[in-house]
Amino acid sequence: GAVVSQHPSRVICKSGTSVKIECRSLDFQATTMFWYRQFPKQSLMLMATSNEGSKATYEQGVEKDKFLINHASLTLSTLTVTSAHPEDSSFYICSARRDTGELFFGEGSRLTVL
Amino acid sequence: AQTVTQSQPEMSVQEAETVTLSCTYDTSESDYYLFWYKQPPSRQMILVIRQEAYKQQNATENRFSVNFQKAAKSFSLKISDSQLGDAAMYFCAYRSYNTNAGKSTFGDGTTLTVKP
């Protein structure tokens, strides 16, 4: 099956710093990728839709200046959490949509802000 | 807007037995996709099974099958001959056929425990 990889899988940072998470589709091109946030034992909350070559579409309530998304190529989308605070600590997951319409998920990235 | 409801936060099953996870959804659309995803402790979501709404036949993937009742807007997942590796959180998801973005709506999940 298709492979989507996220990096880093775990990151710890100090409050006020910025953290970048990468999402790569390794064996297919993805014009659309999605970023989710997941709290323990809860469902995925869609944060934004990342479109290659254009601005991301953010869900209501998600601060676009806080969570910067860049989809610079057909195989890479990045999520940058700017000026991170402890309340941003969470599990962030990306998915990439293949041309068949199926979604393939990354392994997730655990962010801990001290 | 579409909603997906999983009414069973937790389920357990004995190894080799059968378990059914329930999912209901609400939509005014006639064309859409339904999915079951598995999220094991390793946390990477894996597609278990997929159903197109226009297909009357229930999807089947080895030990996994669905009972798709379009009129009732119900989409349950049956796991036969449960194995220890089936232990995970299972999410039911809905995706509109017509949306270009392919956004999916997820249920709150059901944590499945498999007892040896």
Side-chain angles (χ1 to χ4, degrees):
Chain A
V3 178
V4 173
S5 179
Q6 263 182 261
H7 178 80
S9 58
R10 291 178 182 271
V11 57
I12 300 173
C13 70
K14 292 183 178 180
S15 186
T17 61
S18 295
V19 173
K20 180 186 285 188
I21 301 169
E22 294 186 346
C23 179
R24 292 181 185 274
S25 54
L26 299 184
D27 54 355
F28 67 98
Q29 294 182 330
T31 55
T32 304
M33 292 185 177
F34 302 92
W35 286 97
Y36 310 84
R37 186 170 178 176
Q38 186 181 32
F39 292 102
K41 296 193 175 183
Q42 293 189 26
S43 189
L44 280 70
M45 182 191 78
L46 180 65
M47 298 174 65
T49 302
S50 172
N51 303 299
E52 187 270 336
S54 64
K55 291 182 179 180
T57 305
Y58 290 82
E59 295 300 301
Q60 192 172 8
V62 178
E63 300 175 61
K64 60 182 180 182
D65 295 330
K66 173 90 174 155
F67 299 100
L68 300 179
I69 292 172
N70 186 350
H71 195 151
S73 77
L74 287 170
T75 59
L76 174 64
S77 175
T78 60
L79 167 68
T80 301
V81 183
T82 63
S83 186
H85 288 95
E87 57 265 30
D88 299 324
S89 298
S90 190
F91 194 66
Y92 292 89
I93 301 175
C94 74
S95 69
R97 180 172 174 259
R98 197 165 185 172
D99 53 5
T100 56
E102 290 189 40
L103 291 181
F104 294 89
F105 289 82
E107 307 95 324
S109 300
R110 166 75 59 196
L111 171 63
T112 302
V113 185
L114 302 177
Chain B
Q2 294 79 27
T3 59
V4 177
T5 303
Q6 292 178 250
S7 60
Q8 306 154 317
E10 297 180 345
M11 291 283 284
S12 67
V13 62
Q14 206 70 34
E15 194 176 5
E17 298 294 310
T18 296
V19 65
T20 298
L21 308 184
S22 65
C23 172
T24 58
Y25 58 95
D26 188 27
T27 184
S28 59
E29 299 176 328
S30 58
D31 291 325
Y32 48 87
Y33 300 101
L34 294 165
F35 306 87
W36 277 98
Y37 289 95
K38 171 185 177 181
Q39 188 180 36
S42 67
R43 305 303 291 271
Q44 187 165 23
M45 298 269 284
I46 304 165
L47 177 65
V48 175
I49 201 163
R50 160 189 173 140
Q51 175 83 41
E52 286 91 341
Y54 68 86
K55 290 186 177 179
Q56 293 184 345
Q57 187 173 6
N58 289 325
T60 299
E61 284 289 337
N62 300 315
R63 298 182 295 106
F64 299 87
S65 61
V66 298
N67 183 3
F68 173 47
Q69 302 289 328
K70 191 172 184 180
K73 296 178 183 174
S74 171
F75 183 61
S76 61
L77 173 70
K78 185 171 81 171
I79 305 174
S80 304
D81 186 24
S82 298
Q83 300 175 359
L84 295 178
D86 295 334
M89 197 160 184
Y90 287 81
F91 292 96
C92 177
Y94 172 104
R95 181 159 69 83
S96 172
Y97 182 82
N98 293 320
T99 176
N100 290 327
K103 287 197 301 184
S104 297
T105 302
F106 291 86
D108 289 337
T110 298
T111 299
L112 178 65
T113 302
V114 181
K115 299 177 181 178

